[in-house]
Amino acid sequence: MELLVFTNDISNGWFFNQPFLFICSMKMLDFIIVGNGLAALAFAEVLLQNNCSFVVFGDSKLKSSRVAAGLYNPLIVKRYRPLQDAVDQIDFLRSFYSRAEQRLCAKFHHEKLTLRKFVSIAEQNDWFEHADKPQLANLLSNDLFTSAIEGIDSPFQYGVVNYTGHLDTNVFITKYQTFLADSGCFIAESFIYADLEFSSEFVTYHEFQASNVIFAEGYGVNQNPYFNFVSVPGTKGEGITIHAPQLKLTEIINSGVFILPLGNDLFKVGATYEWTDKTEQTTAAAREELTMRLKQVIQCDFEIVDQWAGVRPTTPDRKAIVGNHPQFPQLHILNGLGTRGVMLGPTMAKLLYDHIVDKKEIPTYLQAKRFWKQ
């Protein structure tokens, strides 16, 4: 198999703006990545930005990243609770996805305001009270969104959340996988853990030798014998796509449900949280729940045209899992991004890369060894 290896050494290739590309028959790589969702592709993008050689193994068994709404938000709106390092993460993701868009010649990152529909004067006053707090001052606007939105009756208007937007995850993943496949860096098949062999300097997997292996499998990590000590119980989420010609919404609504405009009178609506059922099968119960909650926000006719489900890679402490295996230093994990894969993916991928290459310390609360019991 021929690989397209990314490098800045012009003696080995020719110029394609940047980076340089050359055909290489060598199978020695810097990294093997296992996974094909947001975490895996975020790490692949970090490697491309740093001119590292790699191959990605991914199958289509789990689809949580593809069906995700791709929203990002600096706080939990319902509880007015800011997320740790949220603004820094959002600033980073903006430049990160911008570079990926340039690389793939595609548009998938969209900055959009998020609105909170108020149901009473008391709720409106509560918003202003929180907006005056120092830790929320930049996140919640003191100026209400007063424009009328056809299809929504909102006499008490809307609050505005700053630093929000969404990533079209299906476009991002499809374009990225196509790009990697065309470069010879993506293999659409399941990774066979038993075929991994170790030496003191590298690992061997079939015809590949690599210095490091990154496992970024989402909920699929539960099948990984090397990282079966981490806890990723997962949370199932379901959503619906509606067709609503009378709903003239261009912003994101977050009020009991999220409503994300897709264009052509289509909107994604979600999402449910289910902790027992870990399948990707849609259910009538979730459809009914979302329909009921949606009708509390909009006052126009709509038709459900699609329903989707996926299992989010959530952890018990709601923290990501980043770092190396306690016994196998060549093996690393990037997981547990939960409902914030779009937002956390770039930052956590860069954190892991800096740890591997530059030996920078990963915060203890993120390390995989917090689950390790000998």
Side-chain angles (χ1 to χ4, degrees):
M1 175 183 178
E2 287 186 334
L3 295 177
L4 282 180
V5 180
F6 295 77
T7 180
N8 275 334
D9 183 0
I10 60 174
S11 65
N12 288 321
W14 55 89
F15 185 70
F16 278 78
N17 294 325
Q18 79 171 18
F20 299 97
L21 304 177
F22 68 97
I23 300 295
C24 177
S25 60
M26 292 177 60
K27 306 294 175 65
M28 185 64 192
L29 305 171
D30 295 316
F31 291 87
I32 293 172
I33 303 173
V34 182
N36 64 351
L38 289 171
L41 297 181
F43 196 82
E45 174 63 22
V46 170
L47 295 183
L48 290 176
Q49 292 179 11
N50 288 276
N51 304 310
C52 296
S53 58
F54 65 95
V55 65
V56 179
F57 286 87
D59 56 35
S60 58
K61 289 181 180 178
L62 298 174
K63 58 183 181 181
S64 60
S65 288
R66 282 191 177 273
V67 302
L71 302 177
Y72 61 85
N73 193 316
L75 76 161
I76 300 173
V77 178
K78 184 178 181 180
R79 299 181 179 88
Y80 296 104
R81 191 174 76 194
L83 300 170
Q84 185 175 358
D85 302 323
V87 173
D88 290 340
Q89 291 171 9
I90 291 172
D91 285 341
F92 184 69
L93 77 81
R94 286 171 173 172
S95 62
F96 185 89
Y97 290 124
S98 177
R99 292 185 66 174
E101 286 179 328
Q102 293 175 25
R103 186 187 311 283
L104 303 178
C105 300
K107 181 65 178 176
F108 38 77
H109 173 227
H110 307 274
E111 296 182 35
K112 283 182 179 291
L113 292 178
T114 294
L115 308 181
R116 174 72 180 272
K117 177 184 173 181
F118 296 134
V119 298
S120 66
I121 288 293
E123 190 173 75
Q124 190 183 91
N125 291 336
D126 192 41
W127 176 277
F128 285 127
E129 181 180 338
H130 282 87
D132 286 336
K133 295 179 179 179
Q135 67 270 31
L136 295 173
N138 294 328
L139 308 182
L140 303 180
S141 175
N142 271 307
D143 296 322
L144 296 181
F145 186 90
T146 58
S147 300
I149 300 174
E150 290 186 43
I152 303 179
D153 181 17
S154 185
F156 303 103
Q157 303 172 328
Y158 308 86
V160 179
V161 185
N162 300 318
Y163 294 98
T164 66
H166 78 102
L167 187 80
D168 189 326
T169 56
N170 193 48
V171 171
F172 172 71
I173 292 172
T174 299
K175 292 288 186 180
Y176 222 112
Q177 288 183 358
T178 299
F179 171 79
L180 294 178
D182 290 345
S183 303
C185 295
F186 184 79
I187 300 176
E189 62 182 46
S190 299
F191 190 84
I192 304 172
Y193 304 104
D195 292 351
L196 196 60
E197 301 176 4
F198 296 85
S199 72
S200 59
E201 297 181 358
F202 51 81
V203 295
T204 301
Y205 182 77
H206 298 175
E207 69 268 35
F208 301 103
Q209 290 183 341
S211 302
N212 300 278
V213 180
I214 309 297
F215 290 109
E217 307 149 292
Y219 183 65
V221 74
N222 289 291
Q223 307 302 317
N224 186 328
Y226 292 104
F227 283 96
N228 57 10
F229 62 90
V230 302
S231 180
V232 184
T235 307
K236 181 176 180 177
E238 294 190 56
I240 55 177
T241 303
I242 65 169
H243 182 245
Q246 296 172 304
L247 181 58
K248 304 304 180 183
L249 175 67
T250 57
E251 297 77 21
I252 299 166
I253 292 282
N254 185 329
S255 188
V257 292
F258 70 74
I259 307 173
L260 170 65
L262 301 177
N264 299 317
D265 299 324
L266 295 173
F267 303 86
K268 271 192 171 183
V269 179
T272 63
Y273 290 82
E274 166 60 47
W275 290 269
T276 303
D277 178 10
K278 301 300 172 65
T279 71
E280 293 188 334
Q281 300 298 315
T282 59
T283 64
R287 185 185 183 101
E288 293 172 6
E289 176 186 343
L290 291 170
T291 299
M292 178 189 68
R293 287 158 57 186
L294 176 62
K295 288 180 177 179
Q296 294 174 352
V297 181
I298 69 174
Q299 290 75 44
C300 62
D301 294 334
F302 62 89
E303 176 190 5
I304 299 175
V305 297
D306 191 22
Q307 185 174 353
W308 32 273
V311 182
R312 311 173 183 97
T314 53
T315 60
D317 56 9
R318 300 183 180 181
K319 303 293 184 183
I321 307 172
V322 185
N324 55 288
H325 193 284
Q327 292 183 327
F328 301 98
Q330 302 103 324
L331 304 186
H332 313 272
I333 186 170
L334 178 58
N335 209 309
L337 305 186
T339 60
R340 296 197 288 143
V342 168
M343 186 166 145
L344 282 177
T347 303
M348 295 298 106
K350 182 66 163 56
L351 182 68
L352 180 57
Y353 175 85
D354 290 344
H355 171 70
I356 296 170
V357 175
D358 297 326
K359 310 304 179 186
K360 292 185 178 180
E361 188 67 22
I362 293 173
T364 303
Y365 65 85
L366 295 174
Q367 293 178 19
K369 67 181 182 182
R370 72 184 191 267
F371 298 103
W372 180 254
K373 296 180 180 179
Q374 291 181 312

